[in-house]
Amino acid sequence: MLHNIRTILLRIENACKKCNRNPNEVRLLLATKTVTAERIRIALEAGCTLIGENKVQELREKYEELKAFSYDHHFIGHLQTNKIKDILKYGVSCIQSVDRLDLAQKLHQRLLSENRTMEILIQVNTSDEESKYGVHPDKAIELIQEAAQLETLKIGGLMTIGLFSAETEKVRRCFRILKKLQQRIESLHIPNVEMKELSMGMSSDLETAIEEGATIVRVGTAIFGQRQYPDSYYWNEKMG
């Protein structure tokens, strides 16, 4: 596993060099779905500082074993509004998967009651697949303008799950949609909105994502190995 982490960091570094970016601009997020707290601990001890969970149940199960470590904890899966309370209990510093106003409003109400703020990313469906969550690119700016009025939410950027495809250019198109959207939003200068983060790219396509501007790449399989469940288990895709 430590060898795998070094390999991924080298891939990130090489991808950045290829497109004249500073490797310090790109953070590695360990996608730790179904990974035990013990294995996550090894990665944290090796110097990893950012992990992301997809399921509230796993967040809860691993929290006690990992709370002695200093790291950033993001939630990257589809979030149901009835799970908001749990998310706030277990040390999450950013929710990357806010994709609808109802979720933003309920999160805001809960944060108000706890006198807290939270960073969020807006999840955008750039692959135009019905099975994927995320706001449609054409509706993203409207959602951001509305969510930006909720003072407990600090909008820090955008997230997408690209097309699961071996065809690089089809995947690249998803990342370019997100980058262009980021640039449009920046030009609007919406109060309470920063567009510093683009969370996109995973084990198979992180180089393409970095070329197109990713600041966070979410890597699980290439570090922890193949998992025995389909992608829909991890990304909570809508059942057809």
Side-chain angles (χ1 to χ4, degrees), residues 96-111:
Q96 292 199 13
S97 49
V98 175
D99 61 356
R100 58 203 189 278
L101 186 59
D102 173 55
L103 174 61
Q105 289 170 333
K106 288 192 164 73
L107 179 59
H108 168 64
Q109 290 301 322
R110 188 74 208 180
L111 288 164

Side-chain angles (χ1 to χ4, degrees), residues 7-223:
T7 299
I8 290 295
L9 291 173
L10 186 60
R11 281 176 62 187
I12 291 170
E13 186 179 340
N14 289 338
C16 287
K17 281 180 184 171
K18 185 180 170 187
C19 56
N20 296 314
R21 291 186 64 191
N22 183 339
N24 293 332
E25 293 176 7
V26 182
R27 286 193 290 167
L28 168 61
L29 178 147
L30 302 183
T32 52
K33 57 243 175 184
T34 76
V35 178
T36 63
E38 184 179 1
R39 296 185 75 208
I40 297 169
R41 193 163 64 239
I42 292 167
L44 295 174
E45 286 169 348
C48 295
T49 58
L50 178 59
I51 71 172
E53 284 290 355
N54 285 67
K55 290 185 174 286
V56 174
Q57 181 184 341
E58 288 195 46
L59 194 66
R60 185 166 53 236
E61 288 167 355
K62 300 170 195 178
Y63 176 72
E64 284 298 322
E65 287 186 67
L66 297 175
K67 69 178 184 180
F69 291 89
S70 177
Y71 62 94
D72 274 342
H73 208 161
H74 289 194
F75 189 78
I76 58 177
H78 179 68
L79 181 57
Q80 297 167 308
T81 53
N82 64 351
K83 302 286 187 182
I84 287 171
K85 189 172 161 186
D86 285 333
I87 283 277
L88 300 183
K89 266 189 217 170
Y90 298 112
V92 170
S93 59
C94 175
I95 298 172
Q96 292 199 13
S97 49
V98 175
D99 61 356
R100 58 203 189 278
L101 186 59
D102 173 55
L103 174 61
Q105 289 170 333
K106 288 192 164 73
L107 179 59
H108 168 64
Q109 290 301 322
R110 188 74 208 180
L111 288 164
L112 268 182
S113 71
E114 297 188 15
N115 196 26
R116 291 172 59 184
T117 62
M118 176 166 277
E119 182 175 21
I120 64 168
L121 305 187
I122 300 298
Q123 181 177 350
V124 183
N125 183 344
T126 56
S127 63
D128 205 24
E129 295 172 281
E130 284 188 24
S131 63
K132 293 244 179 23
Y133 286 103
V135 63
H136 190 279
D138 292 346
K139 302 281 181 65
I141 290 175
E142 181 184 351
L143 172 60
I144 286 167
Q145 288 171 327
E146 291 173 324
Q149 296 175 46
L150 307 171
E151 66 272 18
T152 63
L153 304 182
K154 307 302 174 189
I155 300 173
L158 306 172
M159 182 269 257
T160 197
I161 301 166
L163 195 67
F164 293 122
S165 172
E167 296 183 53
T168 301
E169 292 313 305
K170 286 186 177 179
V171 179
R172 187 185 301 279
R173 180 179 168 275
C174 297
F175 300 152
R176 283 193 171 159
I177 288 170
L178 204 70
K179 180 64 180 178
K180 284 178 182 172
L181 188 57
Q182 177 199 40
Q183 291 167 335
R184 280 182 61 203
I185 294 162
E186 282 177 332
S187 73
L188 295 173
H189 304 290
I190 305 167
N192 197 30
V193 174
E194 270 191 282
M195 280 286 120
K196 63 182 189 295
E197 303 290 5
L198 282 184
S199 174
M200 59 188 193
M202 296 187 275
S203 296
S204 61
D205 54 23
L206 66 88
E207 285 87 357
T208 308
I210 288 169
E211 287 167 16
E212 298 303 330
T215 63
I216 297 173
V217 291
R218 308 181 303 271
V219 180
T221 304
I223 288 174

